Every structure is written in C-alpha cells, then in structure tokens.
Amino acid sequence: MGSRKRNSAERRKEALRSQYFARLNDVPTSPRKMRLVADMVRGMEVNKALGVLKFSTKEASNRLEKLLRSAISNWEQKTEQKAENADLIVSEIFVDGGRMLKRLRPAPQGRGYRVRKRSNHVTLYVDTKKSTNVTKEVADGTKS
C-alpha cells in the first residue's frame, strides 16, 4: 500500500473513532419501506425514538429498534458513560439500497414476470445534543 493511500485510510479510521454509529447490512426489506420508519426517528431523542419504534406497527421498526440499541451501546462503550445521563439524539440516519435478488414468476401464455426482491443497508449515527449543536455552528460559520 502506498503512503498516500495509507495516510488517507488512517485519517478515515481516526474520523470514525470520534463518531458513534451502527450499521445494518442486507436487510430483506425494500429501501422505501425502511425509509418510512427511518424518517419517523430522525433527529429524535434516543429514549423517545425507542418508544416510537417499539409501538410502531411496521415490520421494519423491529430491526431499526435493535440497530438503535446497538448504536447506543457503541456510544457507551467508546465514551465509557451511561446513556441515561447524556442527552443522546439520533443525529443522522440513512437507508441505501442493497443487493437485489432477481426472480421470475410464471405468467399467462408462457410468459414470465420479473420479481425484484430488494434489500437495504441502514446506517444510524447517535450523538449528544451539545456536540451536534457545536458541529452545526462550525459548519454554518456562526461560531469561531
């Protein structure tokens, strides 16, 4: 590996150490259905988001609740603090399309209809309210 590539990889790893996230790959649900649930909890406080996901009737909410608990656990592990004491929020959540299984379904008169079984990847970032406000101010240029 070249030195430039190694340096950029080390910078990327260092940036990830200061972020608290959890990732869920190849969820056998269409990205559109998962985005509906992800939009419900985006920007919410963690405890409120857990309540919303627990009582949601959507099937994707169970998987997202488990992912949120994992992200909280990652935050606790990295900061060595308890989540109850901190004001944690879901700072960022996004759903990307995963691989697609392509199948054929029998149709009338010898034809076949395509069935695309979609999957998705979900990434959820958790952060404290204070640090999120500071990063937004620095990005906006309002704080020096």
Side-chain angles (χ1 to χ4, degrees):
M1 183 186 300
S3 61
R4 266 190 327 180
K5 205 170 188 179
R6 186 180 313 109
N7 292 340
S8 67
E10 287 172 5
R11 278 194 303 264
R12 226 176 303 121
K13 283 182 187 175
E14 195 61 39
L16 285 178
R17 285 192 187 116
S18 64
Q19 294 178 337
Y20 314 104
F21 67 97
R23 193 174 283 139
L24 186 61
N25 287 334
D26 290 324
V27 183
T29 311
S30 72
R32 185 175 181 179
K33 291 177 185 175
M34 186 64 84
R35 280 189 197 106
L36 287 173
V37 180
D39 290 341
M40 287 193 311
V41 297
R42 184 174 286 122
M44 239 185 227
E45 289 183 11
V46 167
N47 293 328
K48 189 176 178 184
L50 283 172
V52 166
L53 290 173
K54 185 172 183 71
F55 294 109
S56 174
T57 57
K58 302 248 181 228
E59 189 264 336
S61 65
N62 296 332
R63 296 170 200 265
L64 216 56
E65 180 186 0
K66 193 172 179 182
L67 182 69
L68 181 56
R69 289 186 190 279
S70 175
I72 294 167
S73 175
N74 291 343
W75 182 88
E76 287 176 345
Q77 198 114 38
K78 283 185 177 180
T79 60
E80 298 175 355
Q81 297 176 8
K82 286 288 181 185
E84 293 87 32
N85 304 336
D87 290 331
L88 285 180
I89 62 168
V90 178
S91 61
E92 194 177 351
I93 180 170
F94 51 89
V95 180
D96 298 323
R99 69 172 168 236
M100 196 182 318
L101 300 175
K102 296 181 179 175
R103 302 287 183 258
L104 281 178
R105 182 183 187 122
Q109 298 181 356
R111 286 188 300 254
Y113 292 150
R114 278 202 192 124
V115 175
R116 294 181 306 223
K117 297 186 175 186
R118 299 172 190 269
S119 67
N120 63 61
H121 308 307
V122 185
T123 308
L124 189 143
Y125 287 88
V126 172
D127 213 348
T128 57
K129 279 186 179 177
K130 297 165 195 155
S131 63
T132 322
N133 292 338
V134 170
T135 54
K136 284 183 181 176
E137 288 173 356
V138 170
D140 295 340
T142 56
K143 187 172 181 170
S144 53

